[in-house]
Structures are given as C-alpha cells and as structure tokens.
C-alpha cells in the first residue's frame, strides 16, 4: 500500500492544534476535584481468593526487591530478548504495533509461538536459586489476532458499534482469545472503552460509539468473550485470555479530538460518558486496566492518583492491575520515560516501557530502595500482578506451545471464525441512501466494480493490521481474507450476473450499475488525527460523477474510521453504504448488497450509526444529546430495504474556510508551509525543477569549498509525541551529481543543539538521476530536544554536490525508517 496523500493529511492534522469545539469548554478553570464518593461502586468482579493470596504471600516472602521491581516492568519485543528476561526477571513483555519476531511482519505463527516458549522458559529458569515467575506476554489483538498472518480480522469497533449486537461481541472476544492462544500470548490490550466525542480523533474507529450506552453494553460482553464467564470453571483458563479495559480514562474526549490530549469535561461527564464502560467491565471480571495517555484538566492519567487509586481501585474495587501505555509514564510531570516514581506512586502497577525498560528498571529499583516509592505501594503493585498470574493459572501452565490450542494452526482463520467475522461485516454496514432501489444488485446485471479500495484487504482492515499503521500489506498477506471485490464477484456471478473489476474505472461495455469502493487509507493513533471531518481525497467522487453523467446508476461503498462529510459523494451516488473498516471478510459486504436468485435481498441492512454523521466538514464535535443537535444522519440512523432510500440533493458547501497547510509536511510541491527554505553560507544555490509537475521540486547545487547548508527552518515546534511514536523524516530525492566531499544531514532545536548524520558513505557511489525515498527516525538525533525543533531538515556539504528534493515530511516507521549512514 502506498504512502498516500491521506497519510499526508493525517500527518498535517496530527500536528495541528485542535480547534475549540463548540459545545465543550474551551478554557480550563483549573481541575475540578475528584470526589470518589460520587463514583459508582462495583462488586470488584472476581473476589479475592484467600488461597491465592496465601500463595502470593509465600512467594513475595522470598522475593528480593529487584525481583519485585522487575515484575512491574514490561518491555517490547524489539528491544528485549529471552536472555534479558532471564537476567532481569521482567514481569511482562509486549509486541507493539510494529514489533514482530526478527522484524518480520509476516513471521509465521510457529515463529511467534517459539518466541513465546523462549520468553516463558527464561522467566521460569531457576538456575542460581532464582524464583520461577511466569511472564505475561501482551498483544494488541484489537480486531482479532491482527498481528498474525492468517488470523481472522474482524471489523474495527466503529463498525461493531453499528451492529448493536452484544452477543456477537462475546463471540468475537471468544474467537480472538482462541486465535491468540495459538501463538502463545496470555493477554490482549482490548477492549477499548473510549466514548469518542470528536471524530477528528485518529482513534475514533477504536471506539464502539459516541454514546456511553453502546460502550457500557459491549464492555462486559467482550470481556466475557475474552476471559470467560465470571464464576465458571473456564474463567481465565484454557482457551481464554486476560483482557484490558483501556484507556482509563477520558481518551475519547480530548479537546479537539487530539490524541493523547486533554479532556476538559466536568467530573459528572467524565464519569457518566467517558467512564461508562469501566464499572461493567470490572463487574465482568476484567483483570487489567490500561492508563490513558490523555490528561484530565491538565493532569496526565498515568500520574492521576485520585482516579487510578481512589476511584478505580478503592471506590470501584478493581483488584487486578493497572498497566501503563507505551512510555506514557514519561509524560507525567517531572518524569522521563526512564524514571517515573510518580506513576507507580499514583497507582500504576506495571510500566509499559518498550525501549526504556532497562534504565527504568535501574531507576525504579533505586527509588524503591530509597523509599521514594514506598515499600507498601511496590508490594501492592506486585501483589496485583501476581494475583492476575495466579488467577490465569500461569504457575501451573506448561510452556505456551503445550497449552490448549498452542500451535494448533487450524484455529487461525478457522472457517467458523471467518463466518462470524462475515456476519459482523454484514451487521456493521449502514445504508445511508438507496435511491430508485438500486440496491440490492439484481440477477443478470453487468456490474462494474472499481475504486482504489475495491480489491485491497489491507485498506478495508485499517490500522492495527499486521503493522501499526496497517500500511505496507498486500492481499497475499491475508491468506484467509477476501477483498470486497472478491466477495462481490462471487455473489454476482452466482446469480447469473457479470462482474468486472476495473482498476481505473474505465469500461468496454456499459455496465448496468457501477460500484465504487473507496475511502480512508489506514492509519493508527495520532497519525490519524485531523483538523476537520472533511473527506479530502478524490478517489471516488470523480468516478461517481462520471458514471452519473453517463446515466449509469452508482453505488458508493465508503470505508472509513469515522463519520466524514460526504455530501458531494452522496449527491453523486444512487446508493451509499458506510462500511467503516470491515476487516478481512469482504464477502460480508456482498451478502447484503447482492440479491438472491429471486431478486430479493439475501440479508437486509441492520446496522445503525453509533456515530452521528456530519452535515458539514466542520461540524465536530457532534454527538447525540448535544443541545443544538443537527446532524445529517442522526445517531441510530440506518436504512433497510423496506425504507424509501431517496435523499434530497445536499449542499456542497463544506464550511471549511480555506485549505489549511500543515506542520508535518515540511516541503512538498515546491512549498514549505509554515517554515522557510533557506541557504546558509556561501556557494550553495536553490533552483526550481520539475518532477511530476512544473516547479514541484528544488535542486540544491553546492559549488564551493566551504561548508554551506540548505535548511527548512522555523518556529520551535513540539515533536516529542512523534519521536516517541517512532516517526521519521522522509525525504524524496534525486542525486544529480555525487558529492565530492562530506555531506551531513541535520536537525536543530531551539537551544541551538544540532543533531547530525554523516551521509557521505551512504552517498558514495549511489545511483544518480532517479528519484528515491529515504527516511531517518527522529530518534536518530538523540541529543536534540524533539519538544522544540526549529530546523526540521538541514543538509550541509563542503564540496561540489547537486541533489534535487521533492518532498520532506514526517513519516511513520514501518520498519524501513532507520538511521542510515552507509
Ligand atoms: C496504544 C495502546 C496499545 C499500546 C501497545 C499504545 O501506543 O495507545 O492502545 O495497547 O501502544 O501497542
Ligand atoms: C508501536 C505502537 C505504539 C506506538 C506508540 C509504535 O511504534 O508499534 O504499538 O502504540 O508506537 O506511539
């Protein structure tokens, strides 16, 4: 999948400050105080078991403070080895969205399982009299076991919300648990219980709904599916996993929908809207809760004692453990990723310290020894972690490959699992328009299927699919998947029709109907943050209009992680289906869109919006119960075949002021946005050259013998979040004349610190005259403060050299972004 212009837009937005929403506070009058007594009480879920507590007592009596601290630390697969676990006795590991065995996103299930065995065995190694404490491996199985080739990929939560079927959620949870078991992990970082209030948020699709009712109804169902029925013998045993309620809390309500931002709601809204999923999840026995990256009135959740401790643990009675989120502790004030006693002291029990674990371990140990972290707090954290391990039967369990379903490859993408995913796709579709009864497609029709997403399983699956961003996959990576085109073709031919896939939309023979499948390209987390709810791509509109002018009825199948302003596309189509991010079973779309042999629907639409659909591109936040609620399609809207599906012509005024530039794109199409392109020193010149369009690139020519530079520079900007998220600087370039001396790439911060990479060896003998792309992670410049970057790109040469550059922007790390110097 290509790095698309959508990513560009996503990046722009990820860096733009959120605009103030209309119906929520825009200024912060200081934090209201949390009154735990105002919060709900629960049973606590699984009761404390005195036998288990006695086993914990006995174990802890033998544990050194080193072993205790190690339990509280979770490292990421890319920076930890079984040997490290043997040495440090870490309590847990995870595989982050881009973390795969040996860097291979296509690693086979057997390789994952073998690694799980190695890590487990390392944790159980008692040589030298050490204690055997099984480690936990956590993974983001957030829409099926989505990091594993061949697994069943379910629709993302936004689509599941539209299905309004809690029973189905339980089945999906159960299937996900079974598939994760195959590769030996113990724990999934799901479900997400965000109640998403602003669709500009890049994680909108991870939430079931904008309203707490769906989230509260689904939370216990998913937890039951993943962990088993509380009180039954199978709870946390056998095929079951440990689940995580995340991100506690308020993640879906940040100002402007900014990821990791600040939630300014009142205590009552915080509790009743954003907190709604937690009490039911706890009642269902959820064993872990993940702290949110976000803040409430300026205080980061990772350090919020009144919420983590007083509300969650004491008031709600949660007796499992709280895990942090990807170095999130480093954002607590006075903390860094490698030192944060404040988080543990506030009630965090396990730090998610992907790459920071080693130093964090040393610092936490010192803090525990000095008493900065009170002994009682450390012991409580360890007790909670051990409690979950005992409850899950890990002390009795054999190595992962010998556990139930371990290595049983027939379970990954099993036909009965795919069938449930396909049902979920059917139930997640929402019909927004169906003029002249163009749907369902009829027997004998000639159907043209086109659009960029028609035959792309990766795109229909969205972020968190094999890679963090869900990019860089091909259909071959989904051996048990089917594209939307694949499903349509089967169903259309089954009723005597003709299906034609057209990559560019052209046709030799006029079709009876054209189906255009298009939509957002995959993204995850803040990469998906936007400034508005516009759909700026033209990957559907021109096609739809062309067919319409030719008198060909059109069906739009729109893939998206959120509700977007689609008035022009709605006007240009007879039928419009919001399909969200359906996952690997494209056939579920055809099940509903293509009639049976008698022309009657095989399945009707049952999905209804769990997110309000905007009337303009600036109508956000937009939520049911808003005082002046005026959506285009209200929460709960969804047509069936029995309804009159016609729709009056809609206004095509987006409400947007002007095209806004963005901070994440530093240089594109010859423009630098808010920064300037300058030369520094004598002997370097800049000229405009053509790549794809007139003067869309710049050529830099060094003729002198003194060091001189070209820079893209401007006001100090905070890219700490991007650096933590492993974003890099992506450069599209063409070497015109190889350097005769030294070439250095650099960035600079507001303090004047310059981070450099010597590119001389990299350029030595490199190919000239062709365009290529290279990327460097922000982390390649460790001395520069990413929180105050001024020069985002600098190139210095001290001898003749000519290079043309067409594009400089932030790009996500998909494995290819490193610190290349040779
Ligand atoms: C995300 C979490 C996820 C974790 C581990 C974080 O960046 O916010 O949702 O579970 O990474 O991949
Ligand atoms: C990881 C994700 C994580 C993100 C945090 C990525 O590199 O793969 O799992 O959520 O960084 O920003």
């Amino acid at each position: 999948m290509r790095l698309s212009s959508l990513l560009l837009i996503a990046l722009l937005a990820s860096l733009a400050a959120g605009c103030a929403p209309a119906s929520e506070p825009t200024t912060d009058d200081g934090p209201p105080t949390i009154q735990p007594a105002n919060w709900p009480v629960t049973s606590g879920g699984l009761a404390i078991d005195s036998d288990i507590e006695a086993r914990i007592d006995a174990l802890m009596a033998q544990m050194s403070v080193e072993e205790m601290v190690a339990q509280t630390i979770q490292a990421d697969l890319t920076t930890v080895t079984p040997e490290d676990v043997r040495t440090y006795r870490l309590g847990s590991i995870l595989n982050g969205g881009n973390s795969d065995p040996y860097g291979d996103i296509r690693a086979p299930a057997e390789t994952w399982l073998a690694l799980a065995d190695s890590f487990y065995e390392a944790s159980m190694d008692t040589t030298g009299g050490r204690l055997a404490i099984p480690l936990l491996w956590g993974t983001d199985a957030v829409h099926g076991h989505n990091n594993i080739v061949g697994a069943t990929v379910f629709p993302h939560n936004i689509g599941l919300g539209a299905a309004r079927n809690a029973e189905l959620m339980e089945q999906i949870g159960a299937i996900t648990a079974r598939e994760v078991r195959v590769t030996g992990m113990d724990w999934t970082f799901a479900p997400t219980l965000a109640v998403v209030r602003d669709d500009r948020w890049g994680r909108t699709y991870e939430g079931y709904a904008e309203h707490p009712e769906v989230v509260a109804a689904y939370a216990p169902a998913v937890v039951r599916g993943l962990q088993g029925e509380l009180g039954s013998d199978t709870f946390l045993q056998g095929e079951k996993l440990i689940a995580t309620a995340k991100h506690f809390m308020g993640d879906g309500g940040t100002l402007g929908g900014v990821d990791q931002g600040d939630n300014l709601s009142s205590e009552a809204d915080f509790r009743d809207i954003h907190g709604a999923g937690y009490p039911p999840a706890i009642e269902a026995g959820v064993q872990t809760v993940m702290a949110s990256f976000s803040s409430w009135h300026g205080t980061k959740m990772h350090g919020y004692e009144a919420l983590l401790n007083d509300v969650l643990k004491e008031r709600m009675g949660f007796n499992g453990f709280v895990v942090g989120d990807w170095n999130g502790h480093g954002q607590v004030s006075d903390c860094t990723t490698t030192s944060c006693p404040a988080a543990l002291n506030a009630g965090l029990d396990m730090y998610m310290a992907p790459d920071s674990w080693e130093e964090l371990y040393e610092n936490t140990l010192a803090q525990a020894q000095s008493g900065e972290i009170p002994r009682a707090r450390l012991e409580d954290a360890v007790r909670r972690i051990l409690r979950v391990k005992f409850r899950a039967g890990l002390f009795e369990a054999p190595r992962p490959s010998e556990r139930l379903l371990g290595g049983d490859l027939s379970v990954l993408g099993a036909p009965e699992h795919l069938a449930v995913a396909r049902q979920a796709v059917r139930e997640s579709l929402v019909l927004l328009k169906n003029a002249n009864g163009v749907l369902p497609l009829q027997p004998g029709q000639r159907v043209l299927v086109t659009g960029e997403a028609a035959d792309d399983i990766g795109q229909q699956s969205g972020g968190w699919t094999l890679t963090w961003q869900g990019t860089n996959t091909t259909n071959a990576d989904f051996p048990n998947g089917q594209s939307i085109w694949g499903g349509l073709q089967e169903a259309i031919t089954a009723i005597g029709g003709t299906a034609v896939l057209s990559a560019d939309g052209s046709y030799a023979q006029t079709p009876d109907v054209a189906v255009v499948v298009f939509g957002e390209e995959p993204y995850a987390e803040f990469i998906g943050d936007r400034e508005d709810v516009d759909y700026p791509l033209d990957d559907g509109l021109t096609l739809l209009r062309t067919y319409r002018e030719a008198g060909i009825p059109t069906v739009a199948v729109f893939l998206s992680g959120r509700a977007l302003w689609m008035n022009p596309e709605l006007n240009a189509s007879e039928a419009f289906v919001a399909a969200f991010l359906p996952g690997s079973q494209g056939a579920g779309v055809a099940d509903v869109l293509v009639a049976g042999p008698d022309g009657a629907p095989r399945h009707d639409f049952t999905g209804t919006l769990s997110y309000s659909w905007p009337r303009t591109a600036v109508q956000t936040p937009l939520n049911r119960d808003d005082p002046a609620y005026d959506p285009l399609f209200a929460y709960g809207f969804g047509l069936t075949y029995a309804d009159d599906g016609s729709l009056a012509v809609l206004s095509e005024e987006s409400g947007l002021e002007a095209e806004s530039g963005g901070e994440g794109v530093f240089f594109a199409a010859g423009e630098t946005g808010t920064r300037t392109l300058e030369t520094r020193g004598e002997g370097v010149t800049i000229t405009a050259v053509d790549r794809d369009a007139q003067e869309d690139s710049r050529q830099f020519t060094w003729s002198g013998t003194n060091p001189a530079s070209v820079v893209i520079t401007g006001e100090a900007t905070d890219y700490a979040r991007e650096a933590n998220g492993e974003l890099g600087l992506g450069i599209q370039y063409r070497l015109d004349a190889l350097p005769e001396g030294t070439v250095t790439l650099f960035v600079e911060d507001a303090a004047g610190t310059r981070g450099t990479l010597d590119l001389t060896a990299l350029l030595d003998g490199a190919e000239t005259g062709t365009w290529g792309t290279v990327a460097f992670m922000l982390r390649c410049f460790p001395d520069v403060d990413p929180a105050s970057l001024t020069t985002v790109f600098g190139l210095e040469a001290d001898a003749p050299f000519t290079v043309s550059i067409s594009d400089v922007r932030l790009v996500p790390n998909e494995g290819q972004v490193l610190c290349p110097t040779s």
Side-chain angles (χ1 to χ4, degrees), residues 395-667:
F395 284 86
E396 288 73 47
R399 64 170 67 88
S401 61
E402 288 165 12
R403 297 179 195 160
L404 193 62
L405 305 184
D408 186 347
L409 301 182
S410 69
V411 170
L412 278 181
E416 63 274 22
H417 296 178
L418 301 179
V420 173
R422 182 167 169 173
Q423 175 194 345
V425 175
R426 287 197 292 269
E427 296 188 17
S428 69
L429 305 174
V430 180
L431 182 63
L432 298 181
K433 179 179 180 181
N434 190 21
N436 312 316
V438 63
L439 285 178
L441 301 176
Q442 291 298 303
Q445 280 179 330
R446 164 171 286 271
V447 183
L448 182 75
V449 180
T450 185
E452 291 194 5
D455 193 24
D456 191 337
I457 305 174
Q459 183 168 354
Q460 75 198 30
S461 298
W464 298 105
T465 309
L466 297 180
T467 61
W468 180 37
Q469 295 298 315
T471 47
N472 288 337
T473 64
T474 69
N475 283 356
D477 295 323
F478 300 92
N480 293 317
Q482 192 176 34
S483 71
I484 292 173
W485 151 250
L488 285 170
Q489 183 191 28
E490 253 175 42
I492 291 165
T493 45
I495 53 168
T498 311
V500 182
L501 178 68
S502 169
D504 62 0
S506 65
Y507 49 86
Q509 208 180 321
T510 307
D512 298 314
V513 52
V515 179
V516 184
V517 188
F518 65 105
E520 289 192 302
E521 295 238 359
Y523 52 77
E525 300 191 45
F526 55 85
I527 311 286
D529 282 5
R530 298 288 260 329
E531 284 177 50
D532 48 55
V533 286
D534 188 23
Y535 180 69
L537 297 188
D538 179 13
D539 52 353
L541 188 57
T542 301
L543 285 174
L544 291 166
R545 284 180 174 159
T546 310
Y547 300 133
R548 210 177 160 83
E549 271 160 32
I552 302 166
T554 49
V555 176
V557 176
F558 182 56
L559 302 178
S560 71
R562 52 187 134 212
L564 291 169
W565 182 68
M566 299 302 291
N567 288 15
E569 288 84 355
L570 280 157
N571 284 340
S573 24
E574 257 74 40
F576 191 103
V577 178
F580 304 105
L581 298 168
S584 65
Q585 299 323 108
V589 174
D591 286 345
V592 186
L593 269 58
V594 182
D598 57 356
R602 292 179 297 146
H603 294 272
D604 202 347
F605 285 90
T606 55
T608 57
L609 295 176
S610 58
Y611 286 84
S612 305
W613 202 277
R615 187 177 285 287
T616 72
V618 293
Q619 197 185 25
T620 188
L622 172 66
N623 296 299
R624 179 192 134 169
D625 302 342
D626 282 353
Y629 187 54
D630 181 30
L632 178 62
F633 300 114
Y635 180 94
F637 180 86
L639 297 166
T640 69
Y641 282 131
D643 295 318
D644 169 10
S646 59
L647 182 68
V649 177
L650 301 166
S651 157
E652 297 197 6
E653 292 295 321
S654 68
L656 288 168
E657 301 217 324
E659 284 301 299
S660 37
E663 276 280 340
V665 175
F666 304 129
F667 178 75

Side-chain angles (χ1 to χ4, degrees), residues 28 58 107 109 115 149 154 159 170 200 275 286 319 335 384 388 409 473 481 547 572 660 689 799:
D28 187 1
L115 263 181
V149 171
F154 292 95
E170 185 168 341
R200 287 175 290 185
V286 74
N319 58 34
C335 285
R384 287 168 175 274
V388 173
L409 301 182
T473 64
Y547 300 133
S660 37
V689 291

Side-chain angles (χ1 to χ4, degrees), residues 96-99 140 260 293 325-326 464 468 525-526 724-726:
N98 274 337
S99 311
D140 290 287
Q260 308 186 7
F293 270 121
D325 195 355
W326 201 267
W464 298 105
W468 180 37
E525 300 191 45
F526 55 85
N724 183 30
E726 303 202 1

